[in-house]
């Protein structure tokens, strides 16, 4: 089971869109995929027509059961997305109170990681969509994953959010508890605007080693897909934006191996 977290400490940069689209593409490749909504706003949950105000079991239940020292049967919390092979662990709006509760209860940083550990044979991929703010949910999502995907909108203000999440990452890595790899993904790129070009150049100058070499273009099909409650890859497989996410997935999968590079080449050749 591979766990990827999608996060940035800035709102509206394409985190949920990246989660849904990559998950749709993985499911299309017959992978068993779980997506987890850790945002109290529940955009990912709403995307698939579930209501974060009324959903009975959610990510929140995992934390409640941890506080009450009970095992949390994940299966009863899952929602069907209508896409074969793609399950959703929804968010509920009660997640807003979690940071306060976490400050009163010890050991809340690994709740998601420990839960997924018990289900490692059930899914090939788990994608965790994060809220735009640092708190116990983002800490859980970062602690659970091996790979962090950071969507960065190609506009001036978005660079600040990137700096914040990279500082958070440094804190986590320096605490010595966890090491994880990350990839910066430029999103909503509009080549007609100066802001897009300049921020992409800035990313190339400052973060070349960890930057995906391409970008996700602005594409109205993503908004249309969200209004139809399906991943864009299911509805518009040839849309420019979907094709770009397909190339991103290829990139992620090509680096997604525990073998050293030379051994991968040998394994492929064999
Ligand atoms: N490449 C794109 N082209 C055009 N629109 C896009 C693109 N990516 C995302 N969007 C749209 O931009 C809006 C914000 O995207 P999204 O919800 O994925 O961002 P987010 O980072 O998850 O936001 P939040 O921080 O509020 O959770 C949505 O309406 C989405 O449909
Ligand atoms: Mg979101």
């Amino acid at each position: 089971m591979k766990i990827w977290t999608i996060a940035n400490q800035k709102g509206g940069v394409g985190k949920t869109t990246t989660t849904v689209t990559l998950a749709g593409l993985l499911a299309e490749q017959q992978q068993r995929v779980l997506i987890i909504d850790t945002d109290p706003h529940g955009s990912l949950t709403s995307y698939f027509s579930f209501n974060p105000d009324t959903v009975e079991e959610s990510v929140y239940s995992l934390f409640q059961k941890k506080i009450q020292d009970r095992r949390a049967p994940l299966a009863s919390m899952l929602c069907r997305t209508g896409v074969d092979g793609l399950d959703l662990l929804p968010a509920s709006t009660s997640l807003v109170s979690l940071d306060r509760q976490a400050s009163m209860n010890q050991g809340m940083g690994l709740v998601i990681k420990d839960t997924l550990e018990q289900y490692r044979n059930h899914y090939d991929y788990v994608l965790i969509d994060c809220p735009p703010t640092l708190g116990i949910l983002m800490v859980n999502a970062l602690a659970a994953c091996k790979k962090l995907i950071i969507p960065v909108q190609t506009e001036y203000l978005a660079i600040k959010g990137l700096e914040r999440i990279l500082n958070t990452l440094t804190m986590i890595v320096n605490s010595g508890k966890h090491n994880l790899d990350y990839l910066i993904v430029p999103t909503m790129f509009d080549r007609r605007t100066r802001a897009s070009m300049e921020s992409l150049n800035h990313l190339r100058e400052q973060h070349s080693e960890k930057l995906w070499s391409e970008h996700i273009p602005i594409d109205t099909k993503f908004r249309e897909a969200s209004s139809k409650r399906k991943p864009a890859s299911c509805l518009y497989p040839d849309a420019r934006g979907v094709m770009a996410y397909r190339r991103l997935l290829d990139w992620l999968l090509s680096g997604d191996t525990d073998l050293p590079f030379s051994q991968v080449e040998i394994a492929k050749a064999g």
Side-chain angles (χ1 to χ4, degrees):
M1 181 168 77
K2 310 276 186 194
I3 305 172
W4 298 348
T5 285
I6 295 89
N8 186 335
Q9 279 165 252
K10 166 112 179 60
V13 296
K15 297 181 291 295
T16 301
T17 304
T18 300
T19 308
V20 171
T21 314
L22 290 177
L25 289 167
L26 281 165
E28 189 182 288
Q29 297 184 8
Q30 274 72 52
Q31 303 293 328
R32 296 164 304 166
V33 187
L34 172 65
I35 45 179
I36 302 182
D37 190 356
T38 62
D39 186 349
H41 286 120
S43 307
L44 181 63
T45 303
S46 307
Y47 193 106
F48 289 102
S49 301
F50 298 96
N51 185 346
D53 288 326
T54 55
V55 74
E56 275 180 24
E57 296 266 31
S58 70
V59 170
Y60 186 68
S61 321
L62 297 180
F63 288 85
Q64 287 312 298
K65 288 184 173 141
K66 167 79 183 171
I67 291 168
Q68 295 157 7
D69 202 19
R70 288 196 283 134
R71 255 178 86 100
L74 188 65
S76 66
M77 301 173 190
L78 299 178
C79 297
R80 309 233 76 139
T81 60
V83 177
D84 278 348
L86 179 58
D87 291 339
L88 164 72
L89 176 56
S92 63
T93 33
S94 41
L95 282 171
V96 282
S97 63
L98 211 59
D99 276 305
R100 193 166 33 84
Q101 294 182 36
S103 65
M104 296 184 287
N105 293 277
Q106 294 259 304
M108 300 283 270
L110 299 176
V111 173
I112 292 180
K113 182 180 197 290
D114 291 347
T115 305
L116 292 177
E117 199 65 41
Q118 297 162 32
Y119 289 84
R120 56 166 48 254
N121 295 323
H122 287 62
Y123 293 101
D124 301 304
Y125 287 89
V126 178
L127 272 58
I128 308 178
D129 185 21
C130 282
T133 45
L134 177 61
I136 193 68
L137 287 154
M138 194 187 284
V139 166
N140 262 265
L142 293 175
C145 74
K146 276 278 162 59
K147 203 187 281 284
L148 169 65
I149 299 166
I150 311 176
V152 177
Q153 186 177 356
T154 43
E155 54 108 57
Y156 299 124
L157 292 173
I159 306 294
K160 232 9 278 116
L162 173 63
E163 284 167 11
R164 282 196 204 107
I165 185 109
L166 291 179
N167 286 340
T168 302
L169 208 58
T170 309
M171 250 164 49
I172 287 179
V173 171
N174 286 348
S175 76
K177 287 188 190 131
H178 190 41
N179 213 343
L180 64 144
D181 198 13
Y182 71 91
L183 182 70
I184 299 165
V185 176
T187 59
M188 300 188 213
F189 181 79
D190 184 349
R191 66 191 158 87
R192 295 163 304 181
T193 68
R194 216 167 108 184
S196 267
M197 290 304 298
E198 287 185 358
S199 37
L200 188 60
N201 285 337
H202 174 88
L203 290 173
R204 284 182 178 148
E205 280 160 21
Q206 301 293 318
H207 302 278
S208 60
E209 272 184 28
K210 291 294 182 185
L211 183 70
W212 182 42
S213 53
E214 299 187 46
H215 54 258
I216 306 294
I218 197 133
D219 188 338
T220 52
K221 292 287 186 258
F222 290 114
R223 209 158 284 187
E224 284 178 35
S226 71
S227 71
K228 294 181 178 154
R229 312 296 190 208
K230 289 257 184 231
S233 53
C234 297
L235 297 170
Y236 314 108
D238 301 326
R240 278 180 329 129
V242 174
M243 302 284 270
Y245 272 110
R246 198 162 286 177
R247 291 193 296 277
L248 171 63
L249 181 61
D250 287 347
W251 174 283
L252 289 164
L253 294 178
S254 69
D256 201 19
T257 172
D258 298 330
L259 296 174
F261 184 69
S262 56
Q263 288 188 38
V264 179
E265 288 305 289
I266 292 163
K268 274 187 190 159

